[in-house]
Amino acid sequence: MIATALILLLVLIGISIPVGAALGLLGLILDPLYSMLPLTRAMGEVSWSTNNEFLMVAIPLFIMLGEVLLRSGLAERMYSAMSLWLSWLPGGLMHANIGASTLFSATSGSSVATAATVGTVAIPQIKKYGYNEPLFLGSLAAGGTLGILIPPSINLVIYGVLTNSSVPKLYLAGIIPGFGLALLFMLTVIIGCMIKPSWGGRKIQASWGQRLVSLVHLAPPMGIFFLVVGSIYAGLATPTEAAALGVLGALVLAACFRRLTWTMLRESIEGTMKSTAMIMLIVIAASFLNFVMSATGLTDALTQSITGLGLSPGWMLLIVVIFYLILGCFMETLSMMITTIPIVAPIMIAMGYDPIWLGIVIIVLVEAALITPPVGLNLFVVQSLRKSGNMTAVILGSLPFVAAMFVLLALLAFFPDLALWMPRVFG
């Protein structure tokens, strides 16, 4: 049964059926093969119960927040300010790529939006200042991954829904690892440019006066971050309500920048609807597949086969890491989370792992999937922004940052309080 389901899934994805459709189709195939009852009759109820979760309303709101910020001119101002503050480091504007991605991640909650927004502004600087193209592109792809770890993160909301975990605690748990990973990315750039100084391009000279004046452009994204996250921990809003506050704040910013037009609003709403429809199709299809797997006993069989191996928690964690790294080469991140977490999380939690800590580890592994070929979504986003060149440069430039993610995973394994300290103190 397990082998049949796995082979069918690989075949459906291999023949280029969209992931949402592939997951739903797999559920429809497994139903008559292994179930005595027509499980398809429960499809409506499963779809309704999935969509009826109040917390899921936060997803389109966070997407709209990113869409409005994307069109408000915030990225250009933020990147210019970051370039003045960070360009003195070895690697110059590559640190601005990571810094701007970190700040934008703290407002948009989306990796794709982060990579696309910062990449649009940054890529023209490669030839202008003589940077090493692969490493520069890699810093953009890797910086974009921070969008699903630093709160407010759409993926952390989905993990919370799937495991019945506290989203505010997950947000707290993501702060130190998220900003820590940004520092590891910057350290990766510094090490690379110390080994090969020519990779760092020409320096941008800036006075302290220019830097201080530029701080006004860093205030808006920080304001949105504190509005969204601060309202949650002040007890003023739920994550869904905080997302709505974030959208309102973004609209105010757009008005201040004189970018709030009917055309901008229409494009933001259209982008939100397209992204939300794609995400919810995957969520509904994966929920139906998980229902079929549970009803046919496939989930129990898989769980028993894994726990029957008698592995220690440490070895089990290593297997989970390898599993997600391999799966991330073939599956889109959101569908990978929704399909695997209902199976992986109960096993790991039963072995004594904290569900909040496990959520951060899984998100980091999912981040790695965003920049590993052949299905790394951020690789395609960055490549699509280039006017010439092949994907090889983006892939090669991303590899050092994948290594930085492994360093963070090792730190989380040996020092769990990196993720658990803030939820314990402030949660």
Side-chain angles (χ1 to χ4, degrees), residues 7-19 21-23 25-26 29 330:
I7 291 170
L8 284 171
L9 179 61
L10 293 176
V11 168
L12 292 172
I13 294 174
I15 59 177
S16 300
I17 293 178
V19 173
L23 296 175
L25 187 57
L26 179 59
I29 295 171
F330 304 99

Side-chain angles (χ1 to χ4, degrees), residues 98-282:
I98 296 165
S101 296
T102 304
L103 271 188
F104 198 82
S105 297
T107 58
S108 75
S110 167
S111 287
V112 172
T114 301
T117 303
V118 179
T120 301
V121 183
I123 283 178
Q125 313 302 320
I126 298 175
K127 292 183 178 178
K128 183 177 179 181
Y129 292 100
Y131 284 96
N132 175 264
E133 189 170 30
L135 191 62
F136 194 96
L137 296 170
S139 70
L140 289 170
T145 66
L146 297 168
I148 65 171
L149 182 57
I150 296 175
S153 162
I154 295 171
N155 294 63
L156 282 174
V157 171
I158 290 174
Y159 177 88
V161 171
L162 292 173
T163 60
N164 200 27
S165 300
S166 166
V167 173
K169 286 187 177 181
L170 286 167
Y171 277 0
L172 281 173
I175 292 175
I176 293 177
F179 287 99
L181 184 57
L183 292 176
L184 286 173
F185 285 165
M186 295 176 73
L187 182 61
T188 301
V189 171
I190 291 173
I191 292 171
C193 292
M194 289 178 67
I195 295 171
K196 279 273 191 178
S198 61
W199 289 358
R202 296 191 303 277
K203 297 289 183 184
I204 296 176
Q205 301 298 325
S207 67
W208 278 104
Q210 290 174 308
R211 289 171 180 163
L212 291 174
V213 168
S214 72
L215 286 176
V216 69
H217 299 309
L218 299 180
M222 293 304 296
I224 293 292
F225 174 77
F226 286 116
L227 176 65
V228 174
V229 178
S231 63
I232 295 174
Y233 297 112
L236 300 175
T238 65
T240 302
E241 293 163 347
L245 282 174
V247 172
L248 181 61
L251 291 172
V252 171
L253 283 178
C256 292
F257 295 148
R258 298 186 178 181
R259 295 288 187 91
L260 186 59
T261 64
W262 287 113
T263 301
M264 188 275 274
L265 276 175
R266 188 189 72 247
E267 291 175 349
S268 298
I269 293 170
E270 286 177 354
T272 301
M273 291 174 67
K274 289 176 183 177
S275 298
T276 303
M278 177 193 71
I279 290 172
M280 291 313 297
L281 174 62
I282 294 172

Side-chain angles (χ1 to χ4, degrees), residues 6 9-10 13 18-20 22-23 148 155 158-159 162-163 278-279 281-283 285-287 289-290 293 319-345 361-373 375-377 405:
L6 182 59
L9 179 61
L10 293 176
I13 294 174
V19 173
L23 296 175
I148 65 171
N155 294 63
I158 290 174
Y159 177 88
L162 292 173
T163 60
M278 177 193 71
I279 290 172
L281 174 62
I282 294 172
V283 170
S287 298
L289 175 60
N290 289 330
M293 289 171 63
I319 288 174
V320 167
V321 169
I322 295 171
F323 168 72
Y324 273 102
L325 289 176
I326 294 173
L327 197 61
C329 294
F330 304 99
M331 284 188 76
E332 185 270 332
T333 54
L334 185 61
S335 54
M336 180 169 64
M337 283 184 63
I338 297 170
T339 308
T340 61
I341 286 174
I343 299 171
V344 171
V361 169
I362 289 178
I363 291 297
V364 174
L365 290 169
V366 169
E367 279 188 297
L370 283 167
I371 54 174
T372 50
V375 193
L377 196 56
M405 291 179 179

